Amino acid sequence: MRKLRKTILFIVGFCLYITIEVCFRGFSYPLMGLCGGIILLIIDSLNDRISWDMDLLLQGCIGSLVITAFEFVIGGTFLLAGLDPMWDYHDMPLNFHGIICLPFSLIWIGVSIIGIFVADAINYYVFAELPAPYYKLFGKVIIRFF
C-alpha cells in the first residue's frame, strides 16, 4: 500500500507541476514533471517527520528551499554541460546565474503549501492515514481536515 501511495503522490506531483507551468508559461518539459513528482514525495516525507504544530508558513519555506535547491542543481548541471536551462531568471531581480532567484523562491512557498495540502488530502482521504491533518498559522489552527 505504501508503494501505491508513493506512486500516486509522484503522479499527482508530476501532473500538478506540468499544469502550473503550462498555465503560467504556456509550455513545460517532462523533466520538470519528474522534478514536481520527486519534490512532492520529498515534501510529503518531510511533512511525515514534522509536527502539524509547525507553522504552515514555515513548512512552506522548507518546501521552497527544496524546490530552489532542485532548480539550482538542475540548472547548474545544465550550465556545466554547456546547455541552456529550461528556464531563465536573468531578467528577474536577485538572481544567481539565471538559474534561481528570490522572487520565484517566494512563489515556491505558496506552491509548497498547495503541495502539502494535496499530499495530506491524498494520505487522509484516499489512504485513511490518521490522525486528521490540521494547519496552524501564527499559532492558531486555521484549517482542519474532517
Side-chain angles (χ1 to χ4, degrees):
M1 193 62 106
R2 184 169 172 81
K3 191 171 187 169
L4 176 63
R5 183 176 71 89
K6 295 289 186 188
T7 301
I8 289 173
L9 286 171
F10 176 83
I11 292 169
V12 168
F14 183 102
C15 293
L16 276 176
Y17 193 87
I18 293 286
T19 301
I20 289 169
E21 198 165 42
V22 167
C23 286
F24 288 96
R25 220 173 132 187
F27 64 95
S28 188
Y29 298 93
L31 179 59
M32 299 314 299
L34 291 173
C35 290
I38 293 167
I39 288 168
L40 188 60
L41 288 174
I42 291 170
I43 287 173
D44 180 59
S45 177
L46 290 171
N47 208 23
D48 287 347
R49 289 174 174 72
I50 59 177
S51 168
W52 280 309
D53 289 326
M54 179 184 283
D55 195 88
L56 184 59
L57 194 56
L58 181 56
Q59 292 180 50
C61 289
I62 292 168
S64 174
L65 289 173
V66 170
I67 295 170
T68 301
F70 260 73
E71 282 189 315
F72 180 75
V73 169
I74 292 169
T77 302
F78 269 67
L79 288 178
L80 287 174
L83 302 170
D84 290 331
M86 293 165 275
W87 60 91
D88 184 3
Y89 294 144
H90 279 102
D91 293 337
M92 298 296 296
L94 303 169
N95 78 77
F96 180 77
H97 297 293
I99 56 175
I100 59 173
C101 69
L102 183 60
F104 270 84
S105 291
L106 296 174
I107 290 170
W108 301 145
I109 294 171
V111 171
S112 295
I113 290 171
I114 291 168
I116 290 166
F117 289 153
V118 167
D120 284 347
I122 290 169
N123 292 332
Y124 182 66
Y125 292 114
V126 176
F127 293 100
E129 286 189 3
L130 296 173
Y134 62 90
Y135 307 97
K136 289 186 172 185
L137 190 60
F138 306 117
K140 295 186 185 228
V141 175
I142 58 164
I143 298 172
R144 184 180 304 271
F145 284 19
F146 293 101

